[in-house]
Amino acid sequence: MVPVAILELSDRDARRIALAENLQREGLNVFEQTVAILNLIVAELNLGSIEEAKQLVIECHLALRHPDKKRPLDVDPKTGQRCPVSELETTDAGSEAVKQSMLDCHQVVASIIFDNCQMAINSFYRHRLKLLDLPSDVVDAVMNGLEYTKAIAISRVSNSEQREDLIKSALAGFSLVEIKKQVKILLSFLASEVEQPSEDKVAATQEALTNESAISDRLPDRQQRVTSFLQKA
């Protein structure tokens, strides 16, 4: 017989436990992990949405970078609800309560992030929050194994067909350095579109790619892929 513990939990506590268990699941990709961490912050601090949790992470990041600068949002120590600083009590006691409440929130956020992905707040802000703004095709690629660092680089390209080719290259084994070089060349190519005739641009860009030894030394169909998404520009 297996011992079973029956606990009486509030909806909030039950959700917190379920979210924490979900974060321990094997095979969790980086996008799912990021969303789960933000959901846990929502549950732990009784926020209204992932967007609020995202904003709080941004505030924590800014507070660490500029500790003496007041942030535009805070938590009312009486209600626990987030509101503009101008609406909070302005007495000395109220200010101290606000400051302590803000510090407590930042400590909770830092603890949740570190415990679940071993990242500091600043690293989570720089590398993970960007995943929430990725185009849907790039998110799908991340869900299928694309490294998030490559995904962020690819997301700089606005053309969906070019992104698709870059995703295929990344999944085929292109390094992050190679992906960034291709993205840089593509963006330069598009920026100069008005200044050069199309055929000249394609020829110049293909020549630049040919001279990149890091690209030409790898997969044999690399030049063909690059040529194809350049022609889609």
Side-chain angles (χ1 to χ4, degrees):
M1 182 177 294
V2 178
V4 177
I6 299 176
L7 305 175
E8 291 188 9
L9 301 172
S10 66
D11 290 343
R12 180 188 175 193
D13 288 340
R15 183 164 180 262
R16 288 162 62 190
I17 291 174
L19 288 168
E21 289 180 349
N22 182 53
L23 276 163
Q24 305 307 313
R25 181 165 54 90
E26 290 186 12
L28 204 66
N29 64 57
V30 67
F31 183 84
E32 292 172 322
Q33 184 188 57
T34 300
V35 172
I37 287 172
L38 291 173
N39 272 320
L40 190 55
I41 292 173
V42 169
E44 192 70 33
L45 295 176
N46 199 27
L47 304 179
S49 65
I50 281 185
E51 189 58 36
E52 287 190 30
K54 178 182 174 181
Q55 180 63 33
L56 183 55
V57 171
I58 293 172
E59 290 174 29
C60 291
H61 164 72
L62 293 175
L64 288 170
R65 289 190 61 190
H66 309 287
D68 297 327
K69 187 175 180 180
K70 291 184 178 180
R71 302 269 65 85
L73 295 174
D74 209 331
V75 178
D76 188 328
K78 291 184 177 179
T79 66
Q81 299 298 313
R82 298 174 59 70
C83 63
V85 169
S86 59
E87 295 178 10
L88 298 174
E89 292 184 15
T90 57
T91 63
D92 290 342
S95 296
E96 286 302 314
V98 168
K99 187 181 296 185
Q100 184 59 48
S101 178
M102 189 174 185
L103 179 61
D104 290 345
C105 284
H106 290 187
Q107 289 174 339
V108 169
V109 170
S111 177
I112 290 174
I113 291 173
F114 185 81
D115 289 348
N116 290 287
C117 66
Q118 288 70 57
M119 297 178 80
I121 288 177
N122 288 343
S123 295
F124 188 83
Y125 165 81
R126 285 194 302 269
H127 301 297
R128 293 297 189 88
L129 288 192
K130 293 179 181 178
L131 295 175
L132 301 183
D133 300 321
L134 294 178
S136 59
D137 56 339
V138 182
V139 171
D140 291 341
V142 172
M143 300 289 279
N144 289 317
L146 177 65
E147 295 174 37
Y148 75 91
T149 50
K150 296 178 183 179
I152 291 171
I154 291 171
S155 69
R156 296 180 61 202
V157 176
S158 59
N159 184 290
S160 60
E161 292 183 347
Q162 291 175 347
R163 284 201 307 268
E164 181 181 355
D165 286 327
L166 285 167
I167 289 169
K168 288 178 180 177
S169 296
L171 292 174
F174 280 37
S175 70
L176 176 59
V177 171
E178 292 168 336
I179 291 297
K180 285 184 174 181
K181 284 180 179 178
Q182 290 190 13
V183 169
K184 183 178 180 179
I185 291 171
L186 268 177
L187 295 178
S188 299
F189 169 78
L190 294 174
S192 63
E193 187 171 10
V194 178
E195 301 173 7
Q196 290 185 343
S198 180
E199 292 183 4
D200 290 346
K201 285 188 301 175
V202 172
T205 306
Q206 288 174 339
E207 182 180 356
L209 288 170
T210 301
N211 292 333
E212 288 289 351
S213 59
I215 294 179
S216 59
D217 290 342
R218 298 284 306 267
L219 302 176
D221 63 338
R222 180 165 312 195
Q223 297 296 332
Q224 182 178 353
R225 289 184 183 175
V226 172
T227 300
S228 95
F229 64 64
L230 283 174
Q231 290 173 342
K232 295 172 184 175

